[in-house]
Amino acid sequence: MKIFLDTADIEEIRMAARWGVLDGVTTNPSLYAKVGGSYDDVLRQICDITSGPVSAEVVAEHADGMLTEGRHFAKLAPNIVVKVPMSEEGLEAISRFAEEGIKTNCTLIFTANQGLLAAKAGASILSPFIGRLDDINEEGMIVVRELVAIVELHDIETEVLTASVRHPRHVTEAALAGSHIATLPFKVLQQMVHHPLTDKGIVTFRQDWEKARAAAASISEKAAARSN
Ligand code: E4P
């Protein structure tokens, strides 16, 4: 499963890239609002860090406006994927982007049927939002499982991207469900790295190493003193 970072924060993206685990990035207007500046500049900087897909979201209400925004994003870098919300206008825009060879990520998917329609319209990525479904007492992962099964059963050329991830368990479940991609807040990526026993084990090994080195140094000092 590919791992994307769900952020517009350049330092977080740089760090994940340094760890060698970054396959792409998703942004949205809310994530962009946290960093500010020019959205185009932010997108260009992200595309300089990763050659993986970088989602840039349109905000226009109608298909023509989405097309204008998306065509502009697609010119910023070759790895830009235009993120289009699930709606009647969004489906039209996805279908027209597909005709133009512009890749799209259909966002705000909450049912397998919405994902099926987005795939039929030509979306290269389908983004079911699992955390927001969990938040309203539904089981978001069911949509991921259903969509992965539909895509595989009908051999549809698209990828399921598990979005709105809230905690590391979501990532494990997405991987087990066969999700092609999961996009994670940086905090969740960090949580995946750590385990209390791992962190404690590293400290203990270092302390034992230092003790052993000190003991060895003391034995050599005593041996040198005896030989003098
Ligand atoms: C990703 O593409 C989505 O925009 C994002 O995962 C939404 O996450 P949220 O529900 O935490 O806002």
Side-chain angles (χ1 to χ4, degrees), residues 6 26 28 83 129 132 163-164 166 183:
D6 198 22
T26 50
N28 65 33
K83 209 172 178 194
F129 276 37
R132 293 191 195 188
S164 188
R166 298 272 192 268
T183 191

